[in-house]
Amino acid sequence: MVDAFDVAQALCGGIPDRARAWAFVRDFAAAWAEPLADGAGTRAEELERAEEALGLALPTALREAYSLLGTRHDLTGNQDPLLGPSELFVHDEFGGVLVFRSENQGCAFWGVRLRDLDQDDPPVFVQSRDGWVRFLERVSLACVELVLSETLLAGEGRLYNACELPAGLIRELPNRFAPVEFPEYPMWTGKEESPVCWFSAPGKLLRLDGLRDRSWLHVRGHTFADLESLCATLPGRWVGG
C-alpha cells in the first residue's frame, strides 16, 4: 500500500550501487504507479541496433536501465524524457557526450562523456545555462532521479502543485517532511535554482529547486487527499489553488 511507502524511508542509507538503485525503482513503481512487468524493458535487439548506429557500446548501467523500464513512459517520459534507443545521439560539445535524456523543448541534455563510456556506471553531465556541469556521480543515480522527477511532474494535474516557497518555510521543510538521502544536484536552468533537494512523507513527494528565498517547491500526492494535506502543511501561494 502506498500509505506505507515513504521515499525517504525507502532510501535510508542511500544508493551505494546499481543493484540498490534498480531495487528502489521497482519498489517505487509498484507503490506510485504499476509494478514493472517483464515486458517493461527495451528489447535487447533495439539496444544492439542503437549501439551499431552510434558505433559505440552503451555503459552497463544505461543498458540495465533501458532493459528495466525502457517502455514505461509513465515513469520516464512526462517532462524531460528518457530518449528512445533510436533517438540516442552524440553531442559534439564537451569532448563528445552520449545523450540519453532531453529537456522537453530541447533546451538541455543529459548524457555521459564519450571518454567515460568504458565505466560500468559512469558520471552524468547536464548541459545547463552555465555550460556542461556534473549532474550526478553515476548513471544509476541519474535514472533514479529521472523516475522521481518524471513521476512528480506527470500529467495528472490534480495530484500536482507548486509554489515559490519563502525562506522561512524553506528552513522549516526538514522539520515538516523527511529529507530524502539522495545527493544534491544542479538544476539545468542555472545556479539560482540549485541545488535540488528531495523531501517526502508517506504518499507525498516534494522537490525543492534551490535554497534562496522564493525557490520553487514542486509537490505531488499519491491521492488528492495526500496533496491537500501536504499543501495545508505549507501555507504558500500554490499555483493550483
Side-chain angles (χ1 to χ4, degrees):
M1 294 176 60
V2 73
D3 61 1
F5 189 92
D6 184 333
V7 170
Q9 185 177 23
L11 287 180
C12 182
I15 306 175
D17 52 35
R18 303 198 314 272
R20 181 74 182 89
W22 307 145
F24 170 78
V25 168
R26 287 184 181 279
D27 292 342
F28 181 82
W32 278 81
E34 298 290 338
L36 289 174
D38 291 341
T42 303
R43 292 179 301 172
E45 311 88 83
E46 290 183 67
L47 296 175
E48 290 164 5
R49 284 198 297 269
E51 289 179 322
E52 184 176 355
L54 291 164
L56 50 82
L58 303 182
T60 299
L62 193 56
R63 286 187 66 95
E64 289 175 349
Y66 276 106
S67 298
L68 179 66
L69 71 160
T71 66
R72 283 293 298 271
H73 303 302
D74 59 322
L75 298 172
T76 64
N78 294 306
Q79 180 72 19
D80 303 323
L82 177 71
L83 298 180
S86 64
E87 299 172 310
L88 294 169
F89 70 95
V90 173
H91 201 297
D92 60 6
E93 291 181 356
F94 201 48
V97 180
L98 173 62
V99 173
F100 63 85
R101 184 183 180 189
S102 173
E103 192 271 338
N104 66 86
Q105 295 181 341
C107 295
F109 301 105
W110 288 257
V112 177
R113 295 180 300 186
L114 297 187
R115 71 188 194 191
D116 295 330
L117 290 180
D118 60 338
Q119 301 179 35
D120 288 341
D121 201 0
V124 172
F125 290 79
V126 62
Q127 182 196 42
S128 75
R129 289 179 179 171
D130 303 313
W132 286 92
V133 297
R134 189 176 290 254
F135 183 64
L136 284 163
E137 292 298 320
R138 305 194 306 273
V139 166
S140 55
L141 286 173
C143 290
V144 169
E145 193 282 334
L146 167 74
V147 168
L148 288 174
S149 285
E150 294 304 290
T151 300
L152 177 78
L153 301 171
E156 302 170 44
R158 66 184 298 272
L159 298 178
Y160 164 85
N161 214 330
C163 72
E164 291 181 292
L165 209 61
L169 284 178
I170 289 175
R171 289 191 293 270
E172 276 295 306
L173 263 182
N175 299 324
R176 303 189 186 195
F177 297 93
V180 175
E181 201 168 335
F182 191 81
E184 295 180 352
Y185 56 92
M187 175 57 64
W188 68 266
T189 47
K191 294 178 181 177
E192 287 190 352
E193 295 184 317
S194 301
V196 177
C197 308
W198 290 86
F199 302 84
S200 77
K204 300 168 185 175
L205 191 59
L206 305 85
R207 193 186 81 187
L208 179 65
D209 296 352
L211 298 174
R212 63 182 177 85
D213 185 42
R214 302 293 172 183
S215 287
W216 278 100
L217 178 72
H218 302 269
V219 303
R220 187 172 187 82
H222 186 262
T223 67
F224 187 65
D226 290 327
L227 182 63
E228 280 191 315
S229 171
L230 192 164
C231 293
T233 304
L234 296 167
R237 293 187 177 181
W238 296 96
V239 297

